[in-house]
Amino acid sequence: MSEKKHEALGLTDGQALDMYRTMLLARKIDERMWLLNRSGKIPFVISCQGQEAAQVGAAFALDRNKDYVLPYYRDVGVVLSFGMTAKELMLSGFAKAEDPNSGGRQMPGHFGQKRNRIVTGSSPVTTQVPHAVGIALAGKMENNNFVSLVTFGEGSSNQGDFHEGANFAGVHNLPVIFLVENNKYAISVPASKQLACEKVSDRAQGYGMPGVTVDGNDPLAVYEAVKKAAERGRKGEGPSLIEAVSYRLTAHSSDDDDRAYRDRQEVEEAKQKDSIRTFSTYLRDLGILTDEKESEIEEEIISIVNEATDYAENAAYADPETLFDHVYEE
Ligand SMILES: Cc1ncc(C[n+]2csc(CCOP(=O)(O)OP(=O)(O)O)c2C)c(N)n1
Ligand SMILES: [Mg+2]
């Protein structure tokens, strides 16, 4: 990262620090979820670890009071940036009634919160793509000037939903941003066995939109690309495809053992590029982050995560009487 890159992008020191804080909060919530899972308290975790920079960089580039996001299961950084709280995420992990995502019905990672324009998705991967395109179409028809950001993994860019959605958005010039979070694996399948083209962003050409590949470990690179894409969208210039390349630092989920298909050295090498570390170094080199500030942020985050965990653990489960709510018409 070049010196003062954030300033060149129009970000203040405070905003850059806020990005770092949000990335760290996402990481710490995720780490806590693994501990809770391994101690038998929550059933399932699917991690954001390694992808926080892409998620937070992208979300911060949007108008968080107006735009829509259609995140996928790893996007803790996106939903935190859009206003979901640590407590709400924990309520979802513990499957409690107050979980805003689904009232404790869905698996964790199925983010949805109407108040913050976070649109819920389904478990079949990539179904959120046509939804994002439809929302962009509605916004365009109503002259609302918002953009929709949809995220998905590189493996998911092989699904028909991606190709149909991208084509429709290209033909109709819709304000959608397709953000591919390329973490180099689709469960056990490495990227080299998923795509015959070199980059996921090469696919943009087939749908008449610009496609770029950026360093997904650099929140500022992702911010820059998404900002440009959002400006294009708002000016009526149509959709964009952005591929943010990073690495999945954990197993696919708490039910997966990645030792079966990738060697430890590869994971260790990826950890050297971990954005939590590299972005903190960037901020330290500029004197924006100091030892004092860092421990202040860490303490604050630990207490947020502790409070969220205690609250969610002690919260009530949904009343069985509500089992069929929103399932059948009443
Ligand atoms: C249509 C469909 N096929 C298969 C699955 C099972 N599945 C869940 S996540 C996943 C891997 C997706 O990989 P990628 O898109 O790269 O996202 P990542 O998990 O790496 O972030 C698969 C195959 C699913 N949920 N939906
Ligand atoms: Mg992947």
Side-chain angles (χ1 to χ4, degrees):
M1 274 176 262
S2 63
E3 204 183 318
K4 294 256 178 191
K5 183 173 174 182
H6 68 283
E7 267 189 9
L9 295 171
L11 288 164
T12 63
D13 291 357
Q15 285 169 320
L17 204 57
D18 197 19
M19 285 172 99
Y20 175 69
R21 191 188 157 279
T22 310
M23 285 163 56
L24 194 63
L25 179 60
R27 174 68 57 95
K28 295 293 174 194
I29 291 170
D30 203 285
E31 287 175 350
R32 175 63 57 86
M33 293 224 179
W34 278 91
L35 291 177
L36 291 166
N37 174 265
R38 293 311 194 226
S39 55
K41 291 194 171 183
I42 67 172
F44 185 73
V45 191
I46 191 148
S47 267
C48 64
Q49 291 187 42
Q51 296 173 221
E52 296 92 340
Q55 297 167 359
V56 174
F60 270 62
L62 298 176
D63 182 335
R64 288 180 279 159
N65 293 308
K66 187 163 108 182
D67 293 335
Y68 281 76
V69 284
L70 293 93
Y72 88 117
Y73 44 83
R74 299 199 190 280
D75 280 323
V76 178
V78 171
V79 300
L80 283 175
S81 302
F82 261 70
M84 195 176 288
T85 65
K87 194 191 264 184
E88 290 167 337
L89 287 164
M90 280 297 174
L91 283 162
S92 157
F94 279 95
K96 297 298 176 78
E98 269 185 274
D99 157 34
N101 297 283
S102 73
R105 269 100 167 144
Q106 265 280 32
M107 284 171 89
H110 292 67
F111 306 115
Q113 194 172 33
K114 196 171 182 180
R115 173 164 58 84
N116 286 316
R117 295 165 323 289
I118 299 167
V119 183
T120 194
S122 298
S123 294
V125 297
T126 340
T127 46
Q128 69 274 24
V129 170
H131 297 165
V133 172
I135 287 170
L137 174 64
K140 187 177 176 178
M141 288 168 77
E142 293 176 357
N143 267 324
N144 281 331
N145 206 236
F146 63 70
V147 301
S148 65
L149 171 87
V150 60
T151 64
F152 48 98
E154 81 295 337
S156 300
S157 77
N158 293 309
Q159 289 285 120
D161 302 78
F162 163 70
H163 297 276
E164 293 167 33
N167 189 54
F168 192 92
V171 169
H172 296 280
N173 234 25
L174 302 178
V176 197
I177 304 167
F178 300 89
L179 176 66
V180 182
E181 295 184 31
N182 182 349
N183 59 11
K184 303 196 178 141
Y185 283 88
I187 312 185
S188 57
V189 183
S192 60
K193 292 212 171 114
Q194 296 175 43
L195 302 121
C197 51
E198 193 196 334
K199 298 179 195 143
V200 180
S201 63
D202 292 340
R203 295 185 152 169
Q205 199 187 357
Y207 304 115
M209 67 179 89
V212 291
T213 297
V214 297
D215 179 0
N217 288 317
D218 178 356
L220 300 175
V222 180
Y223 175 91
E224 185 175 16
V226 173
K227 189 102 191 155
K228 200 166 153 197
E231 279 162 13
R232 268 176 52 77
R234 280 188 235 284
K235 279 193 282 187
E237 292 173 8
S240 305
L241 176 69
I242 299 161
E243 174 188 16
V245 183
S246 63
Y247 190 84
R248 198 192 71 210
L249 294 176
T250 63
H252 174 72
S253 73
S254 51
D255 295 338
D256 173 45
D257 183 352
D258 62 331
R259 290 172 300 185
Y261 56 82
R262 59 181 188 181
D263 63 55
R264 293 304 91 193
Q265 198 192 329
E266 182 186 296
V267 181
E268 284 314 308
E269 278 167 21
K271 281 186 182 164
Q272 303 306 311
K273 296 182 199 151
D274 182 355
S275 66
I276 301 289
R277 183 196 289 224
T278 55
F279 196 46
S280 129
T281 305
Y282 168 82
L283 296 170
R284 276 175 181 280
D285 288 348
L286 293 174
I288 297 168
L289 194 64
T290 55
D291 285 344
E292 201 188 355
K293 189 80 202 160
E294 176 107 70
S295 29
E296 192 186 299
I297 292 175
E298 272 176 18
E299 268 170 44
E300 182 207 357
I301 287 177
I302 289 166
S303 78
I304 290 171
V305 175
N306 284 344
E307 219 175 280
T309 307
D310 292 345
Y311 185 89
E313 188 168 9
N314 294 309
Y317 284 109
D319 181 344
E321 290 288 306
T322 66
L323 185 64
F324 296 114
D325 284 5
H326 316 299
V327 176
Y328 298 108
E329 193 181 12
E330 283 171 44

